[in-house]
Amino acid sequence: GQQLNQSPQSMFIQEGEDVSMNCTSSSIFNTWLWYKQDPGEGPVLLIALYKAGELTSNGRLTAQFGITRKDSFLNISASIPSDVGIYFCAGDYNAGNMLTFGGGTRLMVKP
Amino acid sequence: DVKVTQSSRYLVKRTGEKVFLECVQDMDHENMFWYRQDPGLGLRLIYFSYDVKMKEKGDIPEGYSVSREKKERFSLILESASTNQTSMYLCASRSKGGGAYGYTFGSGTRLTVV
């Protein structure tokens, strides 16, 4: 099945640094979602985006829905150790039943 | 608080055993999904179900089957477990028509086949 192109695959950063990751697709989506998976747990929704061009923040997290509807990015500012985990993007075309996922970005934070 | 509950967090099974992974949701969702997650491979869809007694193959159904006898419960069955089925298994649910917030995931079952 289709997967979104998510990059980078992994990042190892120093505490306090900012982080940026993105997802691209050859198809358009009407909704973009960003999930975080803590080690040993299931993914949890962080941010949902519903309109092209939309910029949404959730604390230190900021995500944007690309104007072309084919991409999205997630930024984390001033990273802390508990940001460690795998971040997944997901696209939804028609508010249908199944999401399309990116391959994930594994984030490691050095205290 | 809405929930998707996977019955086991960790399982160790022997090669050739029949294995049942159970998933229960309390949100009255029509859609339920089983994924497996392996390092570097992301989330791969095994099976999904849009309603009771309905099931559809995902991307990697070989070696697996599913059962959905009740709306709240979606079971993944490994007919004869093999070592290459050692993985993290994630169950998810979603309301019909999508729902504004995508999937709700369970906490996962880490299965080791020895």
Side-chain angles (χ1 to χ4, degrees), chain A residues 1-3 9 31 33 35 37 40-45 48 50 86 88 92 94-99 101-104 106, chain B residues 9 31 33 35 37 39-43 45 48 50 59 88 90 94-103 105-108:
Chain A
Q2 179 194 0
Q3 266 203 348
Q9 283 192 325
T31 301
L33 304 160
Y35 289 84
Q37 183 181 26
E41 299 290 335
V44 173
L45 184 69
Y50 303 108
I86 302 175
F88 289 100
D92 192 9
N94 60 356
N97 301 314
M98 195 178 311
L99 298 179
F101 285 94
R106 182 180 294 275
Chain B
R9 293 296 299 270
N31 304 314
F33 308 86
Y35 288 85
Q37 182 180 20
L41 297 178
L43 301 174
L45 182 64
F48 59 101
Y50 289 142
D59 299 320
M88 174 71 142
L90 290 166
R94 189 179 196 189
S95 65
K96 189 176 181 179
Y101 300 105
Y103 295 172
F105 284 92
S107 296

Side-chain angles (χ1 to χ4, degrees), chain A residues 2-111:
Chain A
Q2 179 194 0
Q3 266 203 348
L4 303 175
N5 298 311
Q6 185 171 350
S7 64
Q9 283 192 325
S10 63
M11 303 177 74
F12 190 22
I13 63 170
Q14 193 77 35
E15 182 177 0
E17 289 184 0
D18 296 342
V19 172
S20 185
M21 59 192 79
N22 68 82
C23 268
T24 60
S25 171
S26 57
S27 306
I28 62 172
F29 289 103
N30 293 319
T31 301
W32 283 91
L33 304 160
W34 285 92
Y35 289 84
K36 183 196 177 193
Q37 183 181 26
D38 288 326
E41 299 290 335
V44 173
L45 184 69
L46 294 174
I47 289 180
L49 302 155
Y50 303 108
K51 288 171 58 177
E54 179 181 357
L55 185 71
T56 296
S57 293
N58 178 5
R60 294 180 295 106
L61 277 60
T62 302
Q64 184 156 31
F65 190 147
I67 285 290
T68 64
R69 293 160 65 196
K70 292 183 178 181
D71 63 324
S72 177
F73 72 74
L74 175 70
N75 288 343
I76 305 172
S77 62
S79 59
I80 58 178
S82 63
D83 291 333
V84 163
I86 302 175
Y87 292 79
F88 289 100
C89 62
D92 192 9
Y93 175 68
N94 60 356
N97 301 314
M98 195 178 311
L99 298 179
T100 301
F101 285 94
T105 296
R106 182 180 294 275
L107 178 64
M108 293 158 281
V109 179
K110 184 178 179 183

